């Protein structure tokens, strides 16, 4: 389980501040929605929380450790051991199979999907992709790729899940399923952080944080 705390955080793009004064407690067992209009900085804040980019100022601690100045080695350790990202550009390797995209591993001789096959099947089944494991990922629709990203997070049992508009490409039925899966991850102790416009998803969260409404 992982706790992330932001204090007086300022975020931006290309040196330009787009939101500041950000104070957030992101704790295990909860879902937090980052809300606001397009361009307000939701995705930038999500990326900063995930250590994909640096804040302009302020502090971001993970389990009590200040991450300011963390090396790439320490960041990679966080990404490998704790975090799962569900991004709008999917982060999917289109030329590989759906099953490979869940485990991101090959077997010992590099000729077949590696990892725990039972867990792979379970993750695909929970996200409605049970019959698609052997297909090339490029065959999936946008909504199916979103679900594949969630299957990867389930497989890894990530303690931090960071999702950018995870329900944006889904119909009502699949949206309800994905919200339920994210809620279940939180109930199992994950810290779930979502950038979203979806009012149904926001309602399912424990807290909503409007990004960019403070004076800079």
């Amino acid at each position: 389980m992982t706790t992330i705390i932001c204090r007086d955080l300022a975020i931006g793009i290309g040196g330009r501040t787009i939101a500041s004064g950000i104070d957030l407690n992101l704790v295990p067992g909860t879902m937090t929605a980052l809300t606001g209009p397009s361009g307000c900085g939701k995705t930038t804040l999500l990326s900063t929380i995930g250590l994909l980019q640096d804040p302009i100022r302020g502090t971001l601690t993970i389990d009590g450790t200040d991450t300011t100045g963390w090396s790439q080695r320490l960041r990679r350790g966080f990404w490998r051991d704790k975090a799962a990202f569900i991004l709008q550009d999917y982060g999917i390797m289109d030329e590989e199979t759906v099953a490979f995209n869940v485990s991101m591993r090959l077997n010992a001789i590099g000729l077949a999907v590696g990892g725990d096959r039972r867990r792979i099947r379970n993750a695909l089944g929970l996200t409605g992709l049970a019959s698609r494991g052997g297909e090339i990922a490029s065959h999936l629709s946008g909504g199916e790729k979103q679900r594949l990203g969630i299957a990867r997070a389930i497989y890894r049992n990530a303690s931090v899940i960071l999702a950018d508009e995870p329900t944006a490409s889904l119909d009502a039925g699949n949206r309800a399923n994905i919200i339920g899966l994210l809620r279940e991850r939180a109930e199992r102790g994950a810290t779930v952080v979502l950038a979203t416009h979806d009012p149904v998803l926001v309602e399912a969260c424990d807290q909503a944080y409007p990004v960019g409404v403070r004076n800079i």
Side-chain angles (χ1 to χ4, degrees), residues 23-80:
D23 291 308
L24 264 174
N25 293 341
L26 305 168
V27 300
T30 64
M31 286 171 57
T32 299
L34 308 178
T35 65
S38 295
C40 72
K42 296 189 301 298
T43 297
T44 301
L45 178 54
L46 190 75
S47 296
T48 303
I49 291 167
L51 307 186
L52 296 174
Q53 66 181 72
D54 293 322
I56 291 174
R57 63 180 179 273
T59 61
L60 189 154
T61 63
I62 296 176
D63 293 333
T65 300
D66 187 355
T67 64
T68 304
W70 264 19
S71 66
Q72 281 299 109
R73 180 183 64 81
L74 290 172
R75 290 170 191 253
R76 284 195 296 269
F78 171 72
W79 301 330
R80 180 188 66 240

Side-chain angles (χ1 to χ4, degrees), residues 68-151:
T68 304
W70 264 19
S71 66
Q72 281 299 109
R73 180 183 64 81
L74 290 172
R75 290 170 191 253
R76 284 195 296 269
F78 171 72
W79 301 330
R80 180 188 66 240
D81 300 333
K82 295 182 181 292
F85 295 88
I86 304 164
L87 305 174
Q88 280 192 290
D89 62 3
Y90 310 124
I92 301 301
M93 298 180 68
D94 280 335
E95 71 279 8
E96 301 290 351
T97 66
V98 170
F100 174 83
N101 272 280
V102 173
S103 69
M104 299 297 287
R105 293 177 59 186
L106 292 171
N107 67 4
I109 60 174
L111 297 177
V113 175
D116 187 320
R117 290 184 176 274
R118 181 190 61 80
R119 286 170 51 211
I120 292 171
R121 288 194 299 270
N122 178 64
L124 290 174
L126 287 171
T127 51
L129 298 170
S131 65
R132 312 294 295 276
E135 290 188 44
I136 299 300
S138 61
H139 295 174
L140 300 182
S141 68
E144 287 168 338
K145 287 181 178 180
Q146 291 278 46
R147 286 187 274 150
L148 178 53
I150 293 175

Side-chain angles (χ1 to χ4, degrees), residues 8-23:
D8 196 27
L9 210 65
I11 59 171
I13 299 173
R16 178 177 64 89
T17 301
I18 57 176
S20 67
I22 298 167
D23 291 308

